[in-house]
């Protein structure tokens, strides 16, 4: 475990693999921390395949700090990723991520295209209903709590319990917010998830996709996946100049299946626990 200051935020991170190996940044989804079941296990397999894997806690996740000054939570996480790569002096990085991690990888690649050699993305969130769900998941309970009980009620939400247990400063940061300003920020952050017919990924324009000229491995989403729709993955694939679309190493009902899994860190259970299945396909694509 290590910590570093990036854009005024303390970020928690660790490396897996040999120091001299090519760097690969692995980013999960939700507000899950870097040690969530499936992430270290996938990192180990990628390290065995010749990469030095960077696992990190995004702002508001795990033991990292949080702030509410960015135009959206995705923009904050993107800026943190770009800043982290710069602060650690990583060159020719590979980006890999699923769900929110795929969105952050895409946004970061568009901002530093000259420093990303290859990328792999899966479970790309999208579609009108899927994105509406994200607005509530990330912002709705925050607004409801703040409107009923102020920032003390926000700090008591289950969605902040893990972060506060790992980084007690999170509670003080939350309590320091003005409730009305916080509600306005959450409304703005929620609006940032709004579906658009102009782009499959909130925070990305067609011009942003055009900047991502490195090879990208895009995993097609399941037809049954309403959180990361198949149409979204295919739309992203079409917009990327050099995307290779492949079927994932699991069946169509994967997201519905893993959504029933318990979040049980002690027994290494959770929604990402089957991500190590991606390792052979990732290594085959990402190696030179």
């Amino acid at each position: 475990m290590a910590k570093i200051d990036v854009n005024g935020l303390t970020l928690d991170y660790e490396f897996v693999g040999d120091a001299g190996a090519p760097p690969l940044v692995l980013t999960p989804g939700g507000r899950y921390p870097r040690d969530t079941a499936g992430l270290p296990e996938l990192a180990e397999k990628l390290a065995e395949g010749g990469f030095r894997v960077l696992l990190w806690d995004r702002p508001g996740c795990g033991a990292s700090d949080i702030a509410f000054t960015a135009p959206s939570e995705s923009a904050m996480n993107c800026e943190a990723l770009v800043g982290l790569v710069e602060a650690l002096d990583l060159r020719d990085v590979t980006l890999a991520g699923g769900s929110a991690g795929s969105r952050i990888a895409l946004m970061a690649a568009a901002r530093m295209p000259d420093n990303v050699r290859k990328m792999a993305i899966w479970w790309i969130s999208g579609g009108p209903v899927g994105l509406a769900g994200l607005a509530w998941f990330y912002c709705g309970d925050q607004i409801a709590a703040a409107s009923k009980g102020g920032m003390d009620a926000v700090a008591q939400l289950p969605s902040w319990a893990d972060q506060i247990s790992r980084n007690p400063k999170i509670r003080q940061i939350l309590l320091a917010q003005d409730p009305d300003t916080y509600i306005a920020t959450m409304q703005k952050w929620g609006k940032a998830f709004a579906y658009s017919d102009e782009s499959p990924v909130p925070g990305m324009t067609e011009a942003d996709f055009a900047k991502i000229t490195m090879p990208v491995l895009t995993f097609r989403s399941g037809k049954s996946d309403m959180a990361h729709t198949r149409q979204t993955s295919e739309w992203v694939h079409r917009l990327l100049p050099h995307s290779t679309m492949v079927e994932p190493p699991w069946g169509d009902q994967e997201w519905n299946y893993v959504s029933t899994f318990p979040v049980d860190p002690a027994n290494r259970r959770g929604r990402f626990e089957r991500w190590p299945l991606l390792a052979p396909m990732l290594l085959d694509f990402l190696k030179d």
Side-chain angles (χ1 to χ4, degrees):
M1 181 178 71
K3 296 183 182 297
I4 192 170
D5 182 81
V6 174
N7 302 328
L9 297 177
T10 299
L11 300 183
D12 190 90
Y13 72 95
E14 70 171 320
F15 280 108
V16 179
D18 296 336
L24 183 153
V25 185
L26 179 59
T27 306
R31 284 211 180 104
Y32 292 101
R34 59 176 175 76
D35 59 359
T36 299
L39 292 172
E41 292 84 351
L42 175 56
E44 289 288 350
K45 289 182 177 294
L46 296 175
E48 291 170 4
F51 288 94
R52 188 187 191 206
V53 182
L54 172 62
L55 295 172
W56 66 298
D57 283 339
R58 290 155 291 151
C61 304
S64 290
D65 286 350
I66 185 67
F68 302 101
T69 56
S72 70
E73 186 164 2
S74 296
M76 175 180 64
N77 290 339
C78 167
E79 292 166 4
L81 176 52
V82 173
L84 181 61
V85 167
E86 292 176 351
L88 295 173
D89 196 27
L90 303 181
R91 295 289 180 265
D92 295 324
V93 297
T94 294
L95 300 180
S99 199
S102 65
R103 182 170 61 253
I104 304 311
L106 284 164
M107 294 174 70
R111 284 159 176 75
M112 54 175 182
D114 294 338
N115 198 29
V116 179
R117 58 177 293 276
K118 285 186 179 182
M119 182 164 59
I121 49 177
W122 57 94
W123 288 0
I124 309 167
S125 303
V129 173
L131 293 177
L134 290 186
W136 175 259
F137 178 78
Y138 287 111
C139 306
D141 63 338
Q142 309 291 312
I143 291 171
S147 67
K148 295 174 183 177
M151 295 312 297
D152 186 66
V154 173
Q156 295 182 45
L157 285 170
S159 56
W160 290 115
D162 180 67
Q163 295 92 316
I164 291 172
S165 70
R166 296 168 184 257
N167 181 359
K169 187 167 61 169
I170 292 291
R171 176 177 170 79
Q172 300 308 314
I173 294 172
L174 289 170
L175 293 177
Q177 307 302 309
D178 173 75
D180 290 337
T181 302
Y182 187 76
I183 289 172
T185 298
M186 290 299 101
Q187 292 282 14
K188 181 172 68 173
W189 282 17
K191 183 180 179 181
F193 286 114
Y195 175 81
S196 169
D197 288 328
E198 303 300 318
S199 172
V201 176
M204 294 281 293
T205 65
E206 285 197 23
D208 291 325
F209 282 103
K211 297 175 185 175
I212 303 175
T213 56
M214 74 290 300
V216 180
L217 186 66
T218 305
F219 287 90
R220 191 194 312 270
S221 293
K223 185 178 179 181
S224 67
D225 189 341
M226 296 295 103
H228 322 94
T229 68
R230 171 165 290 185
Q231 292 88 343
T232 300
S233 63
E234 293 174 342
W235 190 359
V236 168
H237 166 66
R238 291 195 300 270
L239 289 175
L240 290 169
H242 299 291
S243 170
T244 299
M245 172 156 275
V246 295
E247 301 295 333
W250 44 60
D252 180 78
Q253 292 284 337
E254 180 72 6
W255 175 250
N256 297 327
Y257 174 51
V258 301
S259 294
T260 67
F261 289 6
V263 178
D264 184 357
N267 292 302
R268 307 307 295 157
R269 300 300 312 277
R271 291 188 176 185
F272 309 144
E273 68 176 81
R274 285 165 54 82
W275 279 16
L277 295 174
L278 293 163
M281 297 181 71
L282 291 175
L283 289 171
D284 184 62
F285 176 81
L286 298 176
K287 282 187 174 180
D288 289 327

